[in-house]
Amino acid sequence: MRRRRVLPVLAPLLALAACTPRQDPETSAPSLVTRVPVADRQAAPDLAGTALDGDRIRLSAYRGKVVVLNVWASWCGPCRAEAPELSRAQRHLAAEGVQVLGVDTDADRSQGRAFASDHQLAYPSLHDPGSRQLVRRMPRQYLARALPYTLFIDRDGRIAAQGLSTLTEADVRTFTRPLLHEKGGTGARRGKG
């Protein structure tokens, strides 16, 4: 009888423990960020369109910077938790050459605008309703089935890491730091840019 009472309580705790990201011992960052070796990096597609504020926006305009490309939607709870962290990262790391760029996947632009206003986003967001542009142009291995997800793009415009969990400002610092110290232009010299 006692075992029957313990198992219903223990099972959800074990499941929760299994879902909790383990820490990378070298960086103390979530292990749900996968780094891509320099030799294996692919060019990020040149996403382009209209930002939530109505301005034209293009990913390639940030070439030479390390781009933190964050895909979100207004209805996503983890996206709401992550937004202030990414805004802090943008404010604190912009001078070092980091640019946070959001991709709003809401069908209705007004929902994305309200989200950006409510969370005082310090970075622009491309409006991509239903992820149509992402699905059409992004290499399949970098498309995630859950939100938020983040791609770290090196100075040469290549995908250097993929994050499949909610990130903090500290996580952004951890994953952009080595990219900031890489020499730019290496991909272009090898013809992979």
Side-chain angles (χ1 to χ4, degrees), residues 8-30:
V9 172
L10 191 55
L13 292 176
L14 289 173
L16 181 60
C19 294
T20 304
R22 293 186 318 253
Q23 298 296 306
D24 178 339
E26 291 182 19
T27 63
S28 75

Side-chain angles (χ1 to χ4, degrees), residues 146-170:
L147 295 176
Y149 70 94
T150 304
L151 297 177
F152 293 86
I153 300 170
D154 69 17
R155 293 178 187 267
D156 291 327
R158 297 171 301 154
I159 301 169
Q162 179 181 35
L164 299 175
S165 61
T166 305
L167 299 176
T168 64
E169 179 186 357

Side-chain angles (χ1 to χ4, degrees), residues 23-121:
Q23 298 296 306
D24 178 339
E26 291 182 19
T27 63
S28 75
S31 62
L32 291 177
V33 175
T34 305
R35 297 174 196 259
V36 180
V38 174
D40 297 337
R41 293 180 188 167
Q42 295 181 37
D46 191 15
L47 303 174
T50 308
L52 290 174
D53 63 7
D55 288 344
R56 297 292 299 164
I57 193 167
R58 172 171 239 105
L59 178 58
S60 62
Y62 299 107
R63 187 71 50 93
K65 294 182 181 232
V66 173
V67 177
V68 180
L69 186 72
N70 178 255
V71 183
W72 59 271
S74 63
W75 49 262
C76 164
C79 300
R80 287 191 291 273
E82 184 179 59
E85 295 287 331
L86 294 176
S87 285
R88 277 192 288 279
Q90 176 61 43
R91 285 191 295 274
H92 297 147
L93 299 174
E96 295 178 40
V98 173
Q99 175 64 54
V100 178
L101 176 61
V103 178
D104 166 35
T105 62
D106 284 303
D108 184 347
R109 183 185 302 267
S110 66
Q111 293 169 327
R113 281 187 186 141
F115 179 95
S117 176
D118 291 348
H119 296 284
Q120 300 176 359
L121 297 186

